[in-house]
Amino acid sequence: MNVDTELKYLHKQIRKHAPSLEAEDYRQISKNGADAGWNGFIYYNDTCKFFDNNEEPIMNYYYGVCEDYGYKNVFDMFAKNTDATTMDEFRNWATWGILEAVAREFYDSGQ
């Protein structure tokens, strides 16, 4: 699958995971980031659960991003963009990144 296909699938998964998120929330996530605290994506148990349930499409998305931006692999990208050191921190970072990517796509496309 390509990055766009993965992102569309993950958008559906986010809507299932956090159905209370509305269009304005996505605009705010796009503008302010996922770490501002959004229903379903606040605590590690939330973000890690989302990651675990969607690991394959999340990783496929990031593999595509790595190719586009010249990273060796996902962990290279992770190491260069965060100071996190645990797998839970990685899963949290990866989930927030997906939420932000979906929010940008949602906001930019006007869906």
Side-chain angles (χ1 to χ4, degrees), residues 18-111:
S20 65
L21 291 178
E22 298 179 352
E24 181 57 27
D25 296 323
Y26 286 103
R27 286 190 280 277
Q28 291 300 315
I29 292 165
S30 177
K31 181 178 178 182
N32 300 309
D35 63 343
W38 301 96
N39 183 40
F41 296 94
I42 297 172
Y43 303 105
Y44 274 27
N45 64 334
D46 296 329
T47 57
C48 290
K49 179 180 177 181
F50 182 82
F51 180 91
D52 292 345
N53 290 336
N54 298 284
E55 182 175 354
E56 185 175 338
I58 289 171
M59 294 305 289
N60 287 341
Y61 171 80
Y62 282 121
Y63 294 144
V65 170
C66 288
E67 285 180 20
D68 291 347
Y69 289 94
Y71 293 104
K72 292 183 240 175
N73 55 51
V74 175
F75 294 103
D76 178 46
M77 180 174 62
F78 176 63
K80 290 180 179 172
N81 289 288
T82 182
D83 61 356
T85 58
T86 69
M87 283 306 296
D88 281 353
E89 290 172 327
F90 171 77
R91 291 162 43 213
N92 183 73
W93 169 83
T95 297
W96 278 355
I98 291 296
L99 179 58
E100 291 171 1
V102 165
R104 284 189 302 272
E105 180 68 21
F106 180 87
Y107 179 74
D108 291 342
S109 66
Q111 295 178 4

